[in-house]
Amino acid sequence: MPYVRDGEALDQPFTTFAAIAETKSAGSWRIPLVGTEGLRVVLLQWPAGFATIPHLHPAAEEIFIVIRGQASFTIGDLPERDVGPGELVLARRGVRHAIRVSGGEPLLLCAAVAPNEDRPDEVVEFVSGGET
């Protein structure tokens, strides 16, 4: 998940995911919510079938909270697990992880990475289109 530059995020003390999602299209999108030196938080929507390739962040922790839809997460050597609304997933520093939208509807997901930094060894590519 790319670095959130200073001034790019909403950086508001209160944020409502549903209100943001209502203003966006049905396709893939990414809204930076928080962009500080120590933390980046983004709200993501990906369509059914969207998938990331397995990747890791050697210097950062990442959490995901599913808000709407279904996703299959692979974390490290654990078997793939289906995750739905209200569930939190943790990818520890240096642990390979991947996400696949497994339901028939778009996935609305909040992702947070700490610290908020770009590193040459943290490049993330995607299997199927859409914004990162």
Side-chain angles (χ1 to χ4, degrees):
M1 180 173 51
Y3 173 74
V4 174
R5 289 175 287 286
D6 189 33
E8 180 183 9
L10 298 177
D11 287 324
Q12 299 295 314
F14 301 97
T15 303
T16 304
F17 298 145
I20 293 170
E22 287 174 4
T23 68
K24 303 304 288 177
S25 69
S28 292
W29 47 261
R30 173 186 186 266
I31 302 292
L33 301 176
V34 176
T36 67
E37 185 177 316
L39 175 67
R40 71 177 168 251
V41 179
V42 298
L43 185 63
L44 300 154
Q45 181 171 284
W46 293 330
F50 187 92
T52 67
I53 61 168
H55 63 279
L56 58 87
H57 307 280
E61 313 287 348
E62 187 167 19
I63 64 163
F64 307 92
I65 300 170
V66 174
I67 299 162
R68 184 175 59 226
Q70 290 289 129
S72 294
F73 281 81
T74 304
I75 305 291
D77 294 331
L78 297 173
E80 185 176 63
R81 180 171 169 167
D82 290 331
V83 176
E87 293 188 72
L88 181 140
V89 177
L90 169 64
R92 291 190 182 275
R93 182 178 314 225
V95 175
R96 186 171 294 283
H97 55 281
I99 309 164
R100 180 176 55 84
V101 180
S102 54
E105 64 181 282
L107 175 69
L108 185 61
L109 179 74
C110 182
V113 177
N116 178 20
E117 64 181 10
D118 267 341
R119 292 173 48 112
D121 53 358
E122 285 191 292
V123 175
V124 179
E125 299 175 22
F126 291 91
V127 172
S128 55
E131 291 182 39
T132 60

